[in-house]
Amino acid sequence: MTSRVFEELVSALAQLPGVGRKTALRLAFYLVDRRELAGELSQALGAVYDKVRECDMCRNLTQSDLCEICSDRSRTASICVVESPADLRSIEDAGLFRGRYFVLHGLLAPLDGVGPEELGIDKLLEMVRETEAEEVILALDATAEGEATCSYLARALEPKVAQVTRLARGLPSGASVEFADELTLSQAFEGRRKA
Ligand SMILES: [Zn+2]
């Protein structure tokens, strides 16, 4: 089968992380075969596309102005800065942190056109002020881009907040926050140090 709509589906699937052209083709054939699943997926994707947006305060994903975490008044006065909503989820699921988060949706990559503006740094500084944060924890990947982003953020935040810390290297060099196991993450949290 080589219709145009089918090819469009394959091309879209091939853009997903970890999915090459071959896998995309296999998934597309599978979905064409499983009409009911294709319908469910299409509905779920439509709903996410229509309803999910960024929280006004922290850029986490939400269906309202403020996400559940920002609306929760029992959260402590600290902010954990993460690269992605997936990283937020990992830290939250591990129960390591009871403050609020800020989601950068990327890391500094000047060559790819990702600068402070794209990461919403102004918004982060505004959140620090509004929530009177006492500590900002930089929980970013132990990669070159993660390190560069940490250094930049530490410089920007230091005049505005009492404590800026970063995760300890319980996280091995090159490791991603999203895929770290709970033990590694919790060690990284406990051993956090001045950024
Ligand atoms: Zn929020």
Side-chain angles (χ1 to χ4, degrees):
M1 185 167 74
T2 49
S3 70
R4 193 172 57 82
V5 285
F6 183 79
E7 288 307 324
E8 278 170 7
L9 174 61
V10 175
S11 303
L13 288 169
Q15 290 174 49
L16 294 172
V19 177
R21 173 96 196 151
K22 220 169 175 175
T23 306
L25 203 57
R26 206 178 70 222
L27 290 172
F29 275 121
Y30 185 80
L31 287 169
V32 168
D33 237 18
R34 296 270 313 270
R35 283 191 63 82
E36 213 167 293
L37 174 62
E40 274 171 41
L41 255 180
S42 143
Q43 251 178 15
L45 286 173
V48 164
Y49 183 79
D50 288 340
K51 293 180 187 151
V52 176
R53 44 172 296 228
E54 285 180 14
C55 169
D56 284 345
M57 180 134 87
C58 76
R59 302 180 85 205
N60 183 19
L61 301 179
T62 178
Q63 280 182 244
S64 21
D65 294 345
L66 283 185
C67 73
E68 271 176 37
I69 297 174
C70 286
S71 319
D72 180 353
R73 294 186 158 269
S74 72
R75 293 273 167 167
T76 61
S78 47
I79 299 172
C80 180
V81 178
V82 292
E83 176 186 347
S84 67
D87 288 352
L88 185 161
R89 179 78 174 257
S90 298
I91 293 169
E92 193 63 12
D93 284 354
L96 293 169
F97 178 68
R98 288 295 303 160
R100 297 194 171 88
Y101 295 86
F102 187 86
V103 184
L104 298 171
H105 292 277
L107 294 172
L108 283 181
L111 297 179
D112 298 324
V114 184
E117 204 172 307
E118 284 70 25
L119 302 184
I121 309 293
D122 284 352
K123 219 164 187 176
L124 170 60
L125 296 177
E126 197 182 306
M127 182 178 180
V128 165
R129 203 178 54 238
E130 270 178 26
T131 60
E132 295 175 359
E134 286 155 11
E135 181 184 6
V136 175
I137 302 166
L138 306 172
L140 302 175
D141 289 353
T143 57
E145 286 180 348
E147 293 293 331
T149 310
C150 266
S151 307
Y152 180 89
L153 286 174
R155 274 199 309 275
L157 287 161
E158 242 141 38
K160 321 259 180 197
V161 63
Q163 260 198 94
V164 183
T165 54
R166 54 191 294 175
L167 296 190
R169 295 286 86 114
L171 225 49
S173 173
S176 111
V177 170
E178 181 181 358
F179 298 111
D181 61 76
E182 278 185 24
L183 178 67
T184 307
L185 258 187
S186 78
Q187 284 169 343
F189 249 84
E190 278 160 19
R192 69 181 181 268
R193 59 193 162 82
K194 197 172 176 304

